[in-house]
Amino acid sequence: MPTLCHPTRTIVPVLCLLAVAGLSALGAQVTYIDKLPGDSYTRQQVETAAKFYGLEVVVAALRDGKDRVAAIKAIRDEKTLAVIVTANALAALDEPQVLSAAHKDGRHTPLLIAGITGTTDPALLMRWSGGAITGCRESAISPGTGSYAIGNVTSITRQLGGSVLPLNQREVCYLTFASGRGAQWLTAVTSASVDLPVFASGTRGDREVFFATASDPPNIPVGPDPYREPAVFAALAPEILFLRYAAGERGWHSPGHYANLTIDDAWLREPFGHVNYEGLLREMDRHNFHTTLAFVPWNFDRSQPALVSLFRTRQDRFSICLHGNNHDGQEFGSYEKRPLSEQANDVEQGLARMARFTQLTQVPFDPVMVFPHSVAPEGTLAVLKRYNFAATVNSENVPLGAVTPSDPEFALRPATLVFSNFPSVRRYSDEAPIPASQLAIDAFLGNPLLFYVHQNFFAPGISAFDKLADTVNQLQADTQWRSLGVIATHLYFEKVRDDGNIDVRAYSGTLHLDNSYKRDVTFFVEKEEDFALPVTVFVDGQPYPYQRAGTRLHVELPVREGTSREITVKYENGVNLAAVDISKTSWRVAAIRWLSDFRDDVVSRTALGRRFIQSYEKSRSAWNRSLALFAGLLAIAVASGYVRRSRKRLIPQPPPGAVSGPST
Ligand SMILES: [Zn+2]
């Protein structure tokens, strides 16, 4: 029985560490066989993809006969769910022996032959593919002319079938096929309208063997741009597709497919620019999607009763999260302009105002922050964590001024805990084109698809989002469109362990665990936690013990078949929201909010007005300078007119009937 750590008890950390080390030894493994133990790019690709799915890599290098025996033993190991042999190692292996070792409990362990180059002996490829693959050739690709195409083999390429991905290679090795021998390509380089297979399958008796050619490490700049994902994925596609196929439920996978549309700056009032909530609801019911309002807490007491009742009764389609506090410019920007202490006050006041909003309307809100303009610096994310927010969702998930992690996994997942252990999640604007491959990759990887727009987006009609909703629903028929709060409670990955129980890697503080396995299971939950704040864990509202190991928090939770339980990690902050001043005392903030309402409800009604808003959003400082100059000139003109009129009153007027001089 593992030692338990409890917030109210001090336990020797070493004991906890030992107990926890025992828990993680129940995962599955990939046996990787190479001629030499060196660190090739092929091995790096395998290790990255295996880590992505939470699989351990066991490396077997074939230096002598003893190594061959060990390699066969590793293939036979019950924990091995996939075998990857490099092309270099083929000659040293006895093919029937490998295939027989990879046949366990009446099923074949999937086998990939990786790192194939132009120097690989064609006779070996023929033998291992049952004559289907005849060789490998090299071809130069002119920069910017090629792309990857993903084949339509549903069991392996799933949602990615038919996708086109960016190619970052100057030269490719491609496989040649014998006709009519059953080889099929899964990934090909398309160049000059010709498909050159780089990842393929061939049948060997009654089993499939996969083949992948070698590639060079791509040069993809590391940065916060979410649209790096297709390039990063393309470089790992054969290994990720193969291991997804081989691991299934034994590899990390998400508890479902989730999506959400958020409208920024929206509040419970009409007119709100081009948004008509009844009309939007009709579209959501017809095209199956959900809308969250990124609500500015300053508007907490300005809701219209008819919309309050609509949002209260249709919580399946409408929800609300926080969008800053006053939304007076970039209120959560650099600390030189607004210190962290002021930003913390704004977070606190925003929460208190939303609590009052719920009191006034009985409409709930999700403690999810969408920062106005762009994501805040990391210190502000730590503040959100202290206030028990569930997540922050923004167009970039790397905080202002922070360094983007170079780990490829970072580019492939929308949520990260790297910054202050707080879930920072990226979202996509539907106001600009989103690459189709990005959506397909996210669906394949089980990433939540989060979109956002502003009211202007609906200028052509309230049906403006229907097309993207349809695309997502076609890509993944069981997509669940939910609030950002519900999505945050499903921000975790799970995988089946050797003992049939479930490992969970959590991102958010509150987790809704559904036991959809056809048996009672125990969830072994693990969450990155810096323990910078006192922590209490609750299960279904009751305090529950947890284990602490270094920077990880572990909870072991049995869940009966077909039921759900909720784990909440709470941080103590000593804040009493009811005592926070929520009054609106600033004239500056009031003026900005009224001007924003005027922009959304009046200026944006005409095409010219919308063009002005677009241009203003793009070149805010240039417009501000021009408007200031215009206001200055107007003030001078008004003042000089006033002076002239005053002077006129002082100059004696000619008697009526006198002739005036010529006008100038
Ligand atoms: Zn905004």
Side-chain angles (χ1 to χ4, degrees), residues 434-475:
I434 305 168
S437 60
Q438 185 98 8
L439 302 178
I441 292 168
D442 281 334
F444 177 86
L445 298 177
N447 293 336
L449 282 161
L450 310 182
F451 305 103
Y452 73 99
V453 296
H454 296 80
Q455 57 80 20
N456 263 352
F457 175 79
F458 295 98
I462 200 66
S463 60
F465 187 72
D466 294 357
K467 196 170 156 227
L468 186 52
D470 291 348
T471 304
V472 170
N473 291 328
Q474 273 158 21
L475 205 52

Side-chain angles (χ1 to χ4, degrees), residues 280-296:
L280 183 61
L281 180 61
R282 274 195 301 277
E283 299 308 315
M284 290 194 282
D285 282 338
R286 267 188 219 138
H287 295 266
N288 183 28
F289 62 98
H290 177 107
T291 302
T292 293
L293 309 193
F295 187 102
V296 179

Side-chain angles (χ1 to χ4, degrees), residues 264-265 323 327 372-373 454:
D264 281 9
D265 311 326
H323 188 38
H327 202 308
H373 297 292
H454 296 80

